[in-house]
């Protein structure tokens, strides 16, 4: 019996082979998407593991080894919004530990750099980046030290005496290979939040696989009527219901197994392309996109089983009696209980508002199950919604084509909805994805601050940190003034006596002291009273993102000569905002004060922007994947529906119904449930996105823009075009020969 079941799909002519290929293609797409998602989660873990060595200097680390200590100071730098991780090292002996990806430690005046940083240094003027690194390039870091091919990392050799006195430096005897138990803000290698990415990718995986399963069931229904007749004939010659079910299951499983194998091959072919997608802000190494043995076995065994079950449910009518194919009756109308799963899914997402699970696993199961239940609810509720819409239209129309279409829909709404179910799910997934990603982008995607503050460079200590230097050499100020695009600079002096403190300011930060002549060149910080020489400006103003042009700061009872003797806390430089100007300023200040960092607004915003860019890319993947799958599902459904109804349509043609009338009937039967349930799916998608955002991130849904609504309209128009493209088949399949019995 199994041999017969294996022979039937490949010996049934082109129609059977086309059905087999359609099912296998649907399974292959689903498997490739699922494997890519699992591999992406694994890649995040691998990337995080390779940057654990960044935490070597964390204060919480107590690991030790009997070797010469290595002085270590990790800090951040940036170039045009791109983060650069820099480590200053100084070996105290030949046995000092060496970080991964290196064969030796750099001597003073040498540095090692990642391949991406080497390429960037060579591509831009040395005054903007290369001059920040002293001496010569001694080596290129290997992949073992890199979180991504795009990682910008430098390990710089410094003299022991100098590094010992640098703030934040400490001796270490081991290189970190695990995340410290506690991080007091000094764990630069904490990596990407793998739990958050797992949650997002898990929800996306569920959103992508569900339309694929619908496509599998739809493809399985292709020529279902012919297959039912074939199975009924087998029953007439003595086949048992179990044997018929076995043949049906084997036929579907054969396509599922072939599709699973093709899906693994498709994943292998697409893996280099998937690695280029910056889901976490950076690309992956291709070798990071690996699969665990358990994952491979789960997909290889689970997907064919799931596909076979889906196909078996789609063909459950083959279990009828031998004469059942000829004795069809109008099916029972769907009941209102079909709305319950949809309500339950919305209710689950709503219940977690204010009750978000504490663990990532809990969040994954809560939200993933909620979204899957909503999608299942749309599929279950679709026939009832189709019936309700058809009955409503039937009461308001008298045109023959409309009456035939809506009454057929009212009699068998399951068949009517089946053709558009894939597209409905795609609209839900698209709406939810655009709503979530768009809201996150609206809340996090815009850099804060006045444009003038975003063009400023801050270099030095913050707030009440120890001063960075006794003074700023005149050569450094002259170097800043020589930078094209330079606007002005303020040397911010410490104020140990808290001169001219503002009693109305509740913040405890002491005001810094600055020259009024320098404030005049940097109005974004504020100004002085007429005739004043030194002003007291709160330190927070130099890190504030709002302009203070209209603010007049109090005069400090300090002479310029006395001010020059006070230590320097920070240098604040305004520019025209160009990359060349800001990066040259960073280089000048970084060379003069290498123990302190330069900061800009776009620095702290860059990581967020890169992550958001990855999320937007993820949204594009979801949209560009689900819509074509839904389109294929729609085309296959309409063709399958035409094939099943060829005899009734042929009888109508013999009875005098014009071909145009039949085409209108077919178009209305597909368009009505499409439009009605699409509206419900779109609204449900946005509502689900709002509940998820409120629960997980405490955001309120931001309404998608005109581009989204235009996309929905284009998708619906394209769907109607797909329906129209199948109408020419009516002439060929409704000829007089189709009306014959037998």
């Amino acid at each position: 019996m199994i041999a017969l079941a294996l022979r039937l799909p490949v010996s049934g002519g082109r129609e059977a082979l086309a059905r087999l290929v359609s099912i296998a293609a649907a399974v292959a797409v689903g498997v490739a998407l699922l494997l890519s998602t699992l591999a992406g989660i694994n890649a995040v873990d691998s990337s995080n593991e390779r940057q654990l060595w960044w935490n070597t200097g964390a204060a919480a680390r107590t690991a030790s080894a009997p070797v010469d200590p290595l002085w270590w100071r990790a800090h951040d730098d940036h170039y045009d919004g791109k983060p650069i991780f820099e480590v200053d090292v100084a070996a105290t002996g030949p046995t000092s530990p060496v970080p991964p990806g290196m064969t030796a430690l750099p001597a003073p005046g040498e540095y090692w750099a990642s391949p991406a940083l080497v390429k960037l240094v060579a591509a831009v003027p040395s005054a903007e980046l290369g001059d920040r690194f002293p001496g010569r390039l001694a080596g290129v870091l290997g992949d073992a030290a890199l979180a991504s091919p795009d990682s910008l990392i430098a390990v710089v050799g410094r003299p022991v005496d100098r590094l010992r006195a640098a703030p934040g430096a400490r001796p270490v005897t081991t290189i970190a290979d695990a995340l410290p138990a506690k991080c007091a803000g000094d764990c630069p290698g904490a990596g990407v939040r793998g739990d958050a990415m797992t949650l997002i990718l898990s929800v996306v995986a569920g959103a992508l696989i569900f339309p694929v399963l619908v496509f599998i069931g739809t493809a399985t229904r292709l020529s279902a009527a012919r297959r039912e007749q074939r199975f009924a004939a087998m029953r007439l010659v003595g086949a048992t219901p179990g044997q018929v079910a076995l043949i049906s299951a084997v036929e579907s499983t054969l396509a599922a197994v072939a599709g699973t194998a093709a899906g693994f091959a498709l994943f292998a072919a697409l893996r280099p392309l998937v690695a280029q997608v910056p889901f976490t802000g950076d690309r992956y190494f291709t070798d990071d996109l690996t699969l665990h043995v358990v994952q491979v076995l789960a997909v290889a065994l689970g997907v064919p089983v799931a596909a076979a079950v889906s196909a078996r449910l789609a063909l459950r009518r083959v279990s009828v009696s031998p004469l059942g194919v000829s004795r069809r009756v109008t099916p029972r109308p769907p009941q209102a209980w079909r709305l319950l799963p949809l309500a339950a899914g919305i209710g689950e997402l709503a219940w977690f508002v204010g009750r978000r699970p504490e663990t990532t696993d809990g969040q994954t199961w809560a939200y993933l199950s909620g979204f899957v239940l909503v999608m299942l609810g749309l599929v279950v509720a679709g026939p009832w919604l189709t019936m309700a819409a058809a009955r409503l239209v039937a009461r308001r129309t008298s045109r023959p084509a409309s009456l035939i279409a809506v009454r057929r829909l009212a009699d068998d709404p399951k068949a009517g909805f089946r053709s558009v179910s894939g597209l409905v799910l795609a609209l839900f997934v698209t709406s939810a994805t655009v709503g979530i990603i768009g809201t996150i982008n609206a809340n996090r995607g815009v850099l804060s601050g006045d444009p003038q503050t975003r063009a400023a460079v801050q270099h030095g200590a913050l707030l009440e940190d120890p001063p960075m230097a006794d003074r700023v050499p005149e050569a450094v100020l002259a170097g800043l003034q020589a930078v094209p695009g330079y606007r002005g600079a303020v040397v911010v002096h410490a104020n140990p006596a808290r001169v001219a403190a503002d009693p109305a300011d509740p913040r405890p930060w002491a005001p810094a002291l600055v020259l009024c002549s320098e404030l005049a060149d940097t109005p974004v910080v504020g100004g002085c009273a007429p005739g004043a020489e030194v002003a007291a400006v709160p330190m927070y103003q130099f890190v504030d993102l709002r302009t203070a042009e209209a603010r007049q700061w109090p005069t400090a009872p300090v002479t310029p000569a006395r001010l020059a003797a006070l230590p320097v806390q920070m240098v604040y430089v305004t520019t025209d905002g160009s990359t060349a100007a800001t990066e040259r300023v960073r280089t000048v200040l970084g060379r003069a004060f290498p123990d302190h960092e330069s900061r800009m607004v776009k620095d702290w915003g860059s990581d967020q922007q890169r992550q958001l860019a990855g999320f937007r890319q993820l949204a594009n993947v979801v949209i560009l994947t689900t819509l074509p799958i839904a389109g294929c599902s729609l085309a296959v459904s309409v063709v399958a529906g035409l094939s099943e109804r060829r005899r009734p349509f042929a009888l109508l043609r013999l009875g005098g119904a014009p071909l145009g009338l039949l085409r209108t009937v077919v178009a209305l039967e597909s368009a009505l449930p499409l439009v009605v349930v699409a509206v419900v799916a779109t609204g449900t998608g946005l509502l689900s996105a709002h509940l998820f955002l409120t629960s997980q991130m405490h955001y309120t849904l931001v309404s998608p823009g005109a581009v989204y609504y235009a996309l929905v309209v284009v998708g619906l128009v394209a769907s109607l075009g797909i329906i129209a493209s199948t109408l020419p088949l009516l002439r060929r399949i409704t000829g007089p020969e189709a009306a014959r019995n037998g």
Side-chain angles (χ1 to χ4, degrees), residues 539-731:
M539 274 294 297
Y540 67 78
Q541 187 57 52
F542 296 100
V543 295
D544 203 325
L545 303 179
R546 297 165 296 178
T547 181
E549 282 188 277
R551 186 68 181 268
Q552 185 181 97
W553 300 111
T555 302
V558 177
T559 65
R562 171 61 181 150
L563 179 67
L566 293 176
V568 175
Q569 195 81 11
M570 174 193 299
V571 178
Y572 185 90
V573 183
T574 57
T575 71
D576 62 4
S578 66
T579 298
T582 55
E583 299 308 326
R584 285 174 183 266
V585 166
R586 286 184 195 265
T587 300
V588 171
L589 294 174
R591 288 178 62 87
F593 307 103
D595 296 335
H596 291 82
E597 302 172 23
S598 292
R599 291 166 294 271
M600 294 186 67
V601 172
K602 66 180 179 181
D603 293 347
W604 57 260
S606 62
D607 292 340
Q608 182 171 278
Q609 293 292 314
R610 289 161 60 247
Q611 187 178 58
L612 289 175
F615 289 163
R616 288 191 290 270
Q617 182 71 28
L618 194 61
N620 293 335
V621 170
V622 172
I623 294 171
L624 295 177
T625 301
T626 55
L627 290 181
I629 291 174
C632 295
S633 178
L634 178 61
V636 171
S637 294
V638 175
V639 172
L642 291 176
S643 178
E644 290 180 359
R645 292 173 291 173
R646 61 194 306 169
R647 188 167 183 272
F649 281 156
L651 291 173
L652 285 173
R653 284 195 66 187
L654 287 176
L659 189 60
L661 176 69
L662 299 182
R663 288 173 176 169
T664 303
V665 170
V666 173
L668 289 175
E669 284 185 18
S670 300
L672 181 60
L674 171 64
V675 174
V676 171
V677 188
V679 172
V680 176
T682 301
T684 303
L686 294 177
L687 176 59
S688 300
H690 172 70
L691 295 174
F692 170 79
L693 290 164
T694 303
S695 173
Q696 180 70 11
M697 302 178 179
H698 306 292
Y699 291 158
T700 300
L701 177 71
V702 175
S703 177
V707 174
Y708 160 74
Y709 294 107
L711 179 65
V712 172
V713 172
V714 169
L716 292 177
V717 172
S719 302
L720 296 176
I722 292 173
I723 295 171
S725 69
T726 63
L727 297 181
L729 291 173
L730 272 173
R731 180 183 298 276

Side-chain angles (χ1 to χ4, degrees), residues 402-479:
S402 300
L403 284 173
I404 294 175
V406 297
R407 285 176 179 172
R408 284 178 58 85
L409 282 176
D411 286 344
D412 193 2
K414 294 180 182 179
F417 172 75
R418 187 184 303 124
S419 64
V420 300
S421 57
L423 192 67
V424 166
L425 288 176
L427 285 174
F428 169 81
V429 171
T430 299
S431 301
T433 302
V434 170
I436 292 172
I437 303 301
T439 300
I440 294 175
N441 188 61
N443 282 272
R444 302 180 182 177
V446 179
L447 288 178
S448 302
D450 184 271
Q452 297 179 81
T453 65
R454 296 201 296 268
V457 178
Q458 312 152 11
H459 190 95
L462 289 176
L463 307 182
E464 294 185 333
D465 292 342
M468 74 169 186
D470 293 332
R471 66 184 184 89
V472 178
E474 290 296 329
V476 174
L477 296 175

Side-chain angles (χ1 to χ4, degrees), residues 94-181:
T95 62
S96 294
V98 179
M102 304 174 62
T103 57
L105 292 168
E110 295 179 344
Y111 70 96
W112 285 61
S114 63
L117 181 58
V118 172
K119 183 177 179 181
L120 181 61
V121 167
V124 302
S126 59
E128 295 182 16
L129 181 60
D131 289 346
R132 300 182 200 178
F133 308 112
R136 67 180 186 87
L137 178 67
V140 178
L141 294 172
D143 291 350
L146 310 178
S148 161
D150 300 324
S151 296
L152 302 177
I153 305 175
V155 181
V156 181
R158 303 285 186 183
V160 174
D161 294 341
R162 178 173 177 176
L163 192 55
R164 185 183 288 119
R170 63 186 298 254
V172 298
T173 55
T174 60
I175 302 298
D177 57 5
L179 192 65

Side-chain angles (χ1 to χ4, degrees), residues 58-60 182-187:
K182 295 181 180 179
C183 290
D186 60 350
C187 294

Side-chain angles (χ1 to χ4, degrees), residues 4 6-14 16-17:
L4 174 63
L6 292 174
R7 188 165 59 251
L8 284 176
V10 296
S11 61
R14 289 184 299 176
L17 284 175

